[in-house]
Amino acid sequence: MLIFPRAFFKERMLFGAPPGTIGAAVSSGLSNDEMYLKFMEHFIKFEAVERASAAGVVMVTFPPHTSNKLQPLDLSMVL
């Protein structure tokens, strides 16, 4: 899902995007509850959650406004 910092979404914004990509426009350009639900509905449509679980992938969410502190891509964790 691509979120554009615009008032209105136009399908042409997805020109050149990978097949299956969906898009939305939010004036702030940031995700919100509505965009998250739209993304999850699209994601679940392709059974990605079940496939991820079967492959041992654990999905994690962070509380709002904490990703800058948690920096998940800059840290590694050994289980």
Side-chain angles (χ1 to χ4, degrees), residues 26-42:
V26 179
S27 59
S28 69
L30 302 174
S31 184
N32 58 28
D33 293 346
E34 182 182 344
M35 293 303 108
Y36 178 74
L37 291 175
K38 183 176 179 178
F39 168 73
M40 286 306 295
E41 287 171 4
H42 178 72

